[in-house]
Amino acid sequence: MWFDAGVNLTNKRLLKVLPEVMEAAEKAGVTRQLIIATSLEETREAIKLCEQYPQQLVMTAGIHPHDAGEAPENFTDELRALAEHKAVVAIGECGLDFNRNYSPQDTQEQVFVAQIKLANELNLPLYLHERDAIDKQIELLNRYCDDGTTCLTHCFTGGPAELERYMARGHWFGVTGWVCDERRNSELMAALPSMPLDRLVLETDAPFLLPRGIKPRPKMNEPKYVPVIGAAVAEALGMSAETLASQTTNNAERLFNLG
């Protein structure tokens, strides 16, 4: 049994073939999925999907840094109301992205801080995005994030130095198909042996980040490829895929308080 701790199921490419995607995931042993929401609109769409597949799906509620500039003035109140839905198990995907700066940096920071405070208030984990912004992200988390608020660094691709900085804050880590790409995974592979096994979850980030090496090459990534990611991580850690599946599924259930 596997848990996909991050799938963009509201993406149109997946929505067009949703029944097939869900069936293929089940056949591959991926019994639960967490939908990543990146805006108020996506949060509403994700709620509908979770109501359609209540046994398989849970979700985040949040605003991605790319979308921070489009957030309405009352976005915190709207998020708070949406987060009352039983399927919502984390706040995010939120954080900072200074690589592309689709939203102004000061706006990203304001929207991020508001979501940190909301996670504190609702006692929900933070589902974090960070790209080229680790110094400011850690600064804001240290300043505003309560000690009891759990943080998941989504799609971690960094090396030992970045791992150490996030581990110092007690973060959890999501690993994606990036681990399967020998052209750019050297930093991540160097960090993996030091990653806390009890705070590791697996994500596809589908339909993006298709694991390299699948033949014939699929048109897009799907939750059914979690075992491919798991096999690569298990090999790197010198353990069986079955053991890793059990560990990471249990981790996700603890992280998102699924009982």
Side-chain angles (χ1 to χ4, degrees):
M1 291 173 57
W2 300 90
F3 192 120
D4 187 347
V7 52
N8 300 282
L9 210 56
T10 58
N11 184 278
K12 292 179 181 179
R13 295 169 67 193
L14 292 172
L15 276 179
K16 286 180 180 178
V17 288
L18 182 61
E20 292 86 347
V21 167
M22 297 300 294
E23 182 179 357
E26 287 279 351
K27 287 182 177 178
V30 183
T31 56
R32 299 195 87 168
Q33 304 171 36
L34 177 134
I35 306 174
I36 308 168
T38 62
S39 66
L40 293 175
E41 181 181 359
E42 280 194 5
T43 301
R44 297 185 189 99
E45 292 176 357
I47 285 175
K48 295 177 183 177
L49 294 180
C50 288
E51 291 176 345
Q52 187 176 351
Y53 296 95
Q55 301 303 315
Q56 295 104 316
L57 300 178
V58 291
M59 60 176 283
T60 70
I63 298 176
H64 192 284
H66 289 346
D67 298 282
E70 303 299 321
E73 288 187 10
N74 66 335
F75 77 89
T76 305
D77 292 336
E78 291 198 41
L79 267 185
R80 183 183 292 106
L82 291 167
E84 291 180 359
H85 195 281
K86 62 182 180 180
V88 175
V89 296
I91 297 298
E93 176 182 355
C94 61
L96 304 174
D97 192 315
F98 293 170
N99 177 269
R100 298 186 179 183
N101 285 317
Y102 288 149
S103 295
Q105 291 187 8
D106 59 342
T107 302
Q108 291 186 43
E109 293 174 25
Q110 293 167 11
V111 172
F112 180 37
V113 168
Q115 291 179 91
I116 295 173
K117 293 179 177 179
L118 184 61
N120 294 338
E121 174 191 335
L122 300 178
N123 193 30
L124 288 173
L126 276 165
Y127 198 95
L128 296 172
H129 174 101
E130 178 268 310
R131 190 172 183 189
D132 294 350
I134 190 170
D135 291 342
K136 178 58 71 172
Q137 178 137 317
I138 288 178
E139 175 192 328
L140 295 178
L141 287 169
N142 285 343
R143 189 185 309 175
Y144 296 106
C145 187
D146 288 352
D147 291 342
T149 298
T150 306
C151 294
L152 169 68
T153 297
H154 156 62
C155 191
F156 179 77
T157 59
E162 292 83 4
L163 179 71
E164 184 175 347
R165 295 186 70 183
Y166 282 128
M167 281 178 58
R169 298 200 71 263
H171 283 214
W172 293 57
F173 299 91
V175 173
T176 66
W178 190 280
V179 74
C180 301
D181 191 342
E182 74 284 354
R183 301 167 302 178
R184 57 182 182 173
N185 70 358
S186 58
E187 283 287 285
L188 177 57
M189 293 297 281
L192 268 180
S194 300
M195 193 172 288
L197 192 58
D198 63 344
R199 284 184 270 144
L200 167 65
V201 297
L202 303 179
E203 329 165 37
T204 58
D205 204 29
F208 315 112
L209 293 181
L210 175 68
R212 183 169 163 83
I214 301 174
K215 296 180 180 179
R217 185 169 175 80
K219 294 181 179 179
M220 65 177 176
N221 198 6
E222 294 185 37
K224 69 179 180 181
Y225 295 124
V226 172
V228 176
I229 300 168
V233 173
E235 181 179 0
L237 296 178
M239 61 193 301
S240 71
E242 291 78 9
T243 300
L244 185 71
S246 177
Q247 177 73 61
T248 54
T249 296
N250 289 337
N251 289 348
E253 290 174 348
R254 285 191 297 116
L255 172 61
F256 300 122
N257 195 29
L258 299 177

